[in-house]
mmCIF file of all heavy atoms in Angstrom:
data_model
loop_
_atom_site.group_PDB
_atom_site.id
_atom_site.type_symbol
_atom_site.label_atom_id
_atom_site.label_comp_id
_atom_site.label_asym_id
_atom_site.label_seq_id
_atom_site.Cartn_x
_atom_site.Cartn_y
_atom_site.Cartn_z
ATOM 1 N N MET O 99 1.086 2.697 25.494
ATOM 2 C CA MET O 99 0.080 1.649 25.651
ATOM 3 C C MET O 99 -0.498 1.681 27.057
ATOM 4 O O MET O 99 0.221 1.904 28.024
ATOM 5 C CB MET O 99 0.688 0.266 25.380
ATOM 6 C CG MET O 99 0.960 -0.001 23.919
ATOM 7 S SD MET O 99 1.179 -1.763 23.552
ATOM 8 C CE MET O 99 2.204 -2.319 24.867
ATOM 9 N N MET O 100 -1.796 1.456 27.170
ATOM 10 C CA MET O 100 -2.557 1.459 28.422
ATOM 11 C C MET O 100 -2.790 2.872 28.971
ATOM 12 O O MET O 100 -3.530 3.045 29.940
ATOM 13 C CB MET O 100 -1.897 0.589 29.497
ATOM 14 C CG MET O 100 -1.792 -0.893 29.137
ATOM 15 S SD MET O 100 -3.386 -1.668 28.769
ATOM 16 C CE MET O 100 -4.215 -1.590 30.352
ATOM 17 N N ASP O 101 -2.184 3.889 28.353
ATOM 18 C CA ASP O 101 -2.528 5.258 28.732
ATOM 19 C C ASP O 101 -3.967 5.497 28.284
ATOM 20 O O ASP O 101 -4.342 5.151 27.153
ATOM 21 C CB ASP O 101 -1.578 6.241 28.029
ATOM 22 C CG ASP O 101 -1.766 7.682 28.499
ATOM 23 O OD1 ASP O 101 -2.896 8.204 28.363
ATOM 24 O OD2 ASP O 101 -0.797 8.284 28.974
ATOM 25 N N PRO O 102 -4.813 6.088 29.127
ATOM 26 C CA PRO O 102 -6.216 6.281 28.743
ATOM 27 C C PRO O 102 -6.393 7.168 27.519
ATOM 28 O O PRO O 102 -7.471 7.194 26.924
ATOM 29 C CB PRO O 102 -6.841 6.925 29.990
ATOM 30 C CG PRO O 102 -5.701 7.422 30.803
ATOM 31 C CD PRO O 102 -4.543 6.526 30.510
ATOM 32 N N ARG O 103 -5.335 7.886 27.116
ATOM 33 C CA ARG O 103 -5.426 8.730 25.922
ATOM 34 C C ARG O 103 -4.747 8.089 24.711
ATOM 35 O O ARG O 103 -4.612 8.732 23.660
ATOM 36 C CB ARG O 103 -4.819 10.105 26.209
ATOM 37 C CG ARG O 103 -5.669 10.927 27.167
ATOM 38 C CD ARG O 103 -5.069 12.275 27.495
ATOM 39 N NE ARG O 103 -3.905 12.149 28.364
ATOM 40 C CZ ARG O 103 -3.354 13.178 29.019
ATOM 41 N NH1 ARG O 103 -3.860 14.388 28.882
ATOM 42 N NH2 ARG O 103 -2.303 12.988 29.787
ATOM 43 N N ASN O 104 -4.361 6.843 24.826
ATOM 44 C CA ASN O 104 -3.721 6.144 23.710
ATOM 45 C C ASN O 104 -4.768 5.651 22.713
ATOM 46 O O ASN O 104 -5.942 5.512 23.025
ATOM 47 C CB ASN O 104 -2.888 4.969 24.227
ATOM 48 C CG ASN O 104 -2.244 4.162 23.112
ATOM 49 O OD1 ASN O 104 -2.691 3.067 22.804
ATOM 50 N ND2 ASN O 104 -1.220 4.710 22.484
ATOM 51 N N GLY O 105 -4.297 5.354 21.534
ATOM 52 C CA GLY O 105 -5.134 4.800 20.476
ATOM 53 C C GLY O 105 -4.458 5.021 19.144
ATOM 54 O O GLY O 105 -3.262 5.333 19.081
ATOM 55 N N ILE O 106 -5.213 4.872 18.056
ATOM 56 C CA ILE O 106 -4.680 5.193 16.735
ATOM 57 C C ILE O 106 -4.547 6.710 16.664
ATOM 58 O O ILE O 106 -5.477 7.441 16.985
ATOM 59 C CB ILE O 106 -5.613 4.681 15.627
ATOM 60 C CG1 ILE O 106 -5.839 3.172 15.760
ATOM 61 C CG2 ILE O 106 -5.033 5.007 14.255
ATOM 62 C CD1 ILE O 106 -6.894 2.625 14.814
ATOM 63 N N ILE O 107 -3.405 7.171 16.239
ATOM 64 C CA ILE O 107 -3.104 8.599 16.317
ATOM 65 C C ILE O 107 -4.122 9.449 15.556
ATOM 66 O O ILE O 107 -4.444 10.566 15.949
ATOM 67 C CB ILE O 107 -1.656 8.847 15.839
ATOM 68 C CG1 ILE O 107 -1.058 10.070 16.534
ATOM 69 C CG2 ILE O 107 -1.564 8.935 14.331
ATOM 70 C CD1 ILE O 107 0.448 10.110 16.531
ATOM 71 N N HIS O 108 -4.665 8.891 14.449
ATOM 72 C CA HIS O 108 -5.635 9.656 13.649
ATOM 73 C C HIS O 108 -7.044 9.606 14.242
ATOM 74 O O HIS O 108 -7.939 10.310 13.765
ATOM 75 C CB HIS O 108 -5.645 9.151 12.214
ATOM 76 C CG HIS O 108 -4.297 9.180 11.561
ATOM 77 N ND1 HIS O 108 -3.443 10.261 11.678
ATOM 78 C CD2 HIS O 108 -3.630 8.265 10.813
ATOM 79 C CE1 HIS O 108 -2.323 9.997 11.021
ATOM 80 N NE2 HIS O 108 -2.412 8.800 10.501
ATOM 81 N N VAL O 109 -7.243 8.788 15.247
ATOM 82 C CA VAL O 109 -8.501 8.802 15.991
ATOM 83 C C VAL O 109 -8.364 9.718 17.207
ATOM 84 O O VAL O 109 -9.252 10.520 17.515
ATOM 85 C CB VAL O 109 -8.902 7.368 16.425
ATOM 86 C CG1 VAL O 109 -10.134 7.390 17.334
ATOM 87 C CG2 VAL O 109 -9.175 6.504 15.192
ATOM 88 N N VAL O 110 -7.237 9.621 17.891
ATOM 89 C CA VAL O 110 -7.020 10.378 19.124
ATOM 90 C C VAL O 110 -6.918 11.885 18.866
ATOM 91 O O VAL O 110 -7.476 12.690 19.630
ATOM 92 C CB VAL O 110 -5.747 9.879 19.850
ATOM 93 C CG1 VAL O 110 -5.423 10.767 21.051
ATOM 94 C CG2 VAL O 110 -5.921 8.431 20.290
ATOM 95 N N GLY O 111 -6.240 12.285 17.798
ATOM 96 C CA GLY O 111 -6.045 13.712 17.524
ATOM 97 C C GLY O 111 -7.340 14.511 17.527
ATOM 98 O O GLY O 111 -7.483 15.471 18.294
ATOM 99 N N PRO O 112 -8.311 14.136 16.707
ATOM 100 C CA PRO O 112 -9.588 14.874 16.712
ATOM 101 C C PRO O 112 -10.364 14.703 18.014
ATOM 102 O O PRO O 112 -10.934 15.678 18.525
ATOM 103 C CB PRO O 112 -10.345 14.269 15.525
ATOM 104 C CG PRO O 112 -9.280 13.702 14.643
ATOM 105 C CD PRO O 112 -8.222 13.208 15.570
ATOM 106 N N GLU O 113 -10.404 13.499 18.570
ATOM 107 C CA GLU O 113 -11.255 13.272 19.740
ATOM 108 C C GLU O 113 -10.720 13.981 20.979
ATOM 109 O O GLU O 113 -11.467 14.212 21.937
ATOM 110 C CB GLU O 113 -11.435 11.776 20.010
ATOM 111 C CG GLU O 113 -10.281 11.091 20.691
ATOM 112 C CD GLU O 113 -10.508 9.610 20.957
ATOM 113 O OE1 GLU O 113 -11.527 9.073 20.498
ATOM 114 O OE2 GLU O 113 -9.650 8.999 21.624
ATOM 115 N N ARG O 114 -9.449 14.367 20.995
ATOM 116 C CA ARG O 114 -8.867 15.107 22.116
ATOM 117 C C ARG O 114 -8.844 16.614 21.866
ATOM 118 O O ARG O 114 -8.440 17.384 22.744
ATOM 119 C CB ARG O 114 -7.438 14.623 22.376
ATOM 120 C CG ARG O 114 -7.359 13.224 22.942
ATOM 121 C CD ARG O 114 -7.622 13.213 24.431
ATOM 122 N NE ARG O 114 -8.126 11.915 24.866
ATOM 123 C CZ ARG O 114 -8.731 11.696 26.012
ATOM 124 N NH1 ARG O 114 -8.944 12.700 26.833
ATOM 125 N NH2 ARG O 114 -9.160 10.500 26.342
ATOM 126 N N GLY O 115 -9.242 17.027 20.673
ATOM 127 C CA GLY O 115 -9.166 18.448 20.355
ATOM 128 C C GLY O 115 -7.754 18.911 20.079
ATOM 129 O O GLY O 115 -7.462 20.107 20.128
ATOM 130 N N LEU O 116 -6.858 17.976 19.773
ATOM 131 C CA LEU O 116 -5.502 18.332 19.364
ATOM 132 C C LEU O 116 -5.478 18.817 17.922
ATOM 133 O O LEU O 116 -4.595 19.563 17.516
ATOM 134 C CB LEU O 116 -4.572 17.122 19.525
ATOM 135 C CG LEU O 116 -4.211 16.742 20.962
ATOM 136 C CD1 LEU O 116 -3.697 15.303 21.031
ATOM 137 C CD2 LEU O 116 -3.185 17.702 21.533
ATOM 138 N N SER O 117 -6.441 18.354 17.131
ATOM 139 C CA SER O 117 -6.599 18.780 15.738
ATOM 140 C C SER O 117 -7.749 19.773 15.679
ATOM 141 O O SER O 117 -8.866 19.445 16.088
ATOM 142 C CB SER O 117 -6.902 17.570 14.846
ATOM 143 O OG SER O 117 -5.868 16.613 14.920
ATOM 144 N N LEU O 118 -7.487 20.971 15.186
ATOM 145 C CA LEU O 118 -8.474 22.047 15.206
ATOM 146 C C LEU O 118 -8.561 22.732 13.841
ATOM 147 O O LEU O 118 -7.619 22.654 13.036
ATOM 148 C CB LEU O 118 -8.100 23.078 16.272
ATOM 149 C CG LEU O 118 -8.093 22.591 17.730
ATOM 150 C CD1 LEU O 118 -7.479 23.654 18.635
ATOM 151 C CD2 LEU O 118 -9.501 22.227 18.189
ATOM 152 N N PRO O 119 -9.678 23.407 13.565
ATOM 153 C CA PRO O 119 -9.841 24.098 12.282
ATOM 154 C C PRO O 119 -8.729 25.109 12.021
ATOM 155 O O PRO O 119 -8.228 25.763 12.943
ATOM 156 C CB PRO O 119 -11.194 24.810 12.453
ATOM 157 C CG PRO O 119 -11.942 23.978 13.433
ATOM 158 C CD PRO O 119 -10.897 23.493 14.395
ATOM 159 N N GLY O 120 -8.347 25.219 10.749
ATOM 160 C CA GLY O 120 -7.343 26.188 10.342
ATOM 161 C C GLY O 120 -5.916 25.777 10.564
ATOM 162 O O GLY O 120 -4.990 26.483 10.162
ATOM 163 N N MET O 121 -5.706 24.626 11.208
ATOM 164 C CA MET O 121 -4.348 24.153 11.495
ATOM 165 C C MET O 121 -3.689 23.544 10.252
ATOM 166 O O MET O 121 -4.355 23.104 9.318
ATOM 167 C CB MET O 121 -4.380 23.066 12.566
ATOM 168 C CG MET O 121 -4.397 23.539 13.985
ATOM 169 S SD MET O 121 -4.231 22.099 15.105
ATOM 170 C CE MET O 121 -3.836 22.932 16.641
ATOM 171 N N THR O 122 -2.340 23.520 10.280
ATOM 172 C CA THR O 122 -1.579 22.623 9.419
ATOM 173 C C THR O 122 -1.092 21.477 10.305
ATOM 174 O O THR O 122 -0.547 21.709 11.388
ATOM 175 C CB THR O 122 -0.376 23.334 8.774
ATOM 176 O OG1 THR O 122 0.333 24.066 9.787
ATOM 177 C CG2 THR O 122 -0.824 24.271 7.675
ATOM 178 N N ILE O 123 -1.331 20.246 9.836
ATOM 179 C CA ILE O 123 -1.053 19.046 10.636
ATOM 180 C C ILE O 123 -0.308 18.046 9.762
ATOM 181 O O ILE O 123 -0.718 17.781 8.625
ATOM 182 C CB ILE O 123 -2.370 18.410 11.136
ATOM 183 C CG1 ILE O 123 -3.148 19.410 12.007
ATOM 184 C CG2 ILE O 123 -2.102 17.117 11.893
ATOM 185 C CD1 ILE O 123 -4.568 18.976 12.330
ATOM 186 N N VAL O 124 0.777 17.497 10.284
ATOM 187 C CA VAL O 124 1.533 16.493 9.528
ATOM 188 C C VAL O 124 1.873 15.305 10.430
ATOM 189 O O VAL O 124 1.898 15.417 11.652
ATOM 190 C CB VAL O 124 2.835 17.077 8.915
ATOM 191 C CG1 VAL O 124 2.534 18.170 7.913
ATOM 192 C CG2 VAL O 124 3.766 17.582 10.006
ATOM 193 N N CYS O 125 2.145 14.180 9.798
ATOM 194 C CA CYS O 125 2.554 12.957 10.485
ATOM 195 C C CYS O 125 3.209 12.060 9.448
ATOM 196 O O CYS O 125 2.856 12.127 8.262
ATOM 197 C CB CYS O 125 1.330 12.263 11.106
ATOM 198 S SG CYS O 125 1.660 10.643 11.874
ATOM 199 N N GLY O 126 4.138 11.236 9.878
ATOM 200 C CA GLY O 126 4.793 10.311 8.967
ATOM 201 C C GLY O 126 3.899 9.131 8.628
ATOM 202 O O GLY O 126 4.267 7.970 8.833
ATOM 203 N N ASP O 127 2.708 9.432 8.111
ATOM 204 C CA ASP O 127 1.702 8.402 7.829
ATOM 205 C C ASP O 127 0.736 8.962 6.794
ATOM 206 O O ASP O 127 0.239 10.090 6.953
ATOM 207 C CB ASP O 127 0.956 8.043 9.118
ATOM 208 C CG ASP O 127 -0.024 6.899 8.933
ATOM 209 O OD1 ASP O 127 -1.137 7.153 8.419
ATOM 210 O OD2 ASP O 127 0.311 5.761 9.287
ATOM 211 N N SER O 128 0.456 8.193 5.756
ATOM 212 C CA SER O 128 -0.329 8.715 4.643
ATOM 213 C C SER O 128 -1.747 9.102 5.033
ATOM 214 O O SER O 128 -2.348 9.994 4.437
ATOM 215 C CB SER O 128 -0.362 7.690 3.503
ATOM 216 O OG SER O 128 -0.883 6.458 3.944
ATOM 217 N N HIS O 129 -2.310 8.445 6.060
ATOM 218 C CA HIS O 129 -3.711 8.712 6.402
ATOM 219 C C HIS O 129 -3.884 9.896 7.361
ATOM 220 O O HIS O 129 -4.947 10.074 7.963
ATOM 221 C CB HIS O 129 -4.369 7.440 6.938
ATOM 222 C CG HIS O 129 -4.487 6.404 5.862
ATOM 223 N ND1 HIS O 129 -3.682 5.286 5.825
ATOM 224 C CD2 HIS O 129 -5.272 6.351 4.762
ATOM 225 C CE1 HIS O 129 -3.972 4.570 4.750
ATOM 226 N NE2 HIS O 129 -4.931 5.198 4.088
ATOM 227 N N THR O 130 -2.834 10.725 7.437
ATOM 228 C CA THR O 130 -2.936 11.984 8.171
ATOM 229 C C THR O 130 -4.043 12.865 7.591
ATOM 230 O O THR O 130 -4.575 13.745 8.265
ATOM 231 C CB THR O 130 -1.590 12.725 8.138
ATOM 232 O OG1 THR O 130 -0.565 11.827 8.591
ATOM 233 C CG2 THR O 130 -1.588 13.955 9.014
ATOM 234 N N SER O 131 -4.414 12.621 6.345
ATOM 235 C CA SER O 131 -5.509 13.367 5.715
ATOM 236 C C SER O 131 -6.801 13.302 6.531
ATOM 237 O O SER O 131 -7.665 14.168 6.399
ATOM 238 C CB SER O 131 -5.767 12.833 4.305
ATOM 239 O OG SER O 131 -6.057 11.446 4.323
ATOM 240 N N THR O 132 -6.926 12.304 7.412
ATOM 241 C CA THR O 132 -8.102 12.158 8.280
ATOM 242 C C THR O 132 -8.431 13.458 9.004
ATOM 243 O O THR O 132 -9.599 13.855 9.104
ATOM 244 C CB THR O 132 -7.845 11.065 9.341
ATOM 245 O OG1 THR O 132 -7.379 9.884 8.699
ATOM 246 C CG2 THR O 132 -9.100 10.757 10.126
#
Side-chain angles (χ1 to χ4, degrees):
M99 286 198 317
M100 298 302 294
D101 187 301
R103 290 178 288 194
N104 177 255
I106 303 172
I107 209 159
H108 304 316
V109 174
V110 173
E113 78 179 7
R114 290 280 155 197
L116 287 161
S117 301
L118 297 170
M121 275 187 165
T122 47
I123 300 169
V124 297
C125 175
D127 185 280
S128 57
H129 293 106
T130 307
S131 57
T132 309

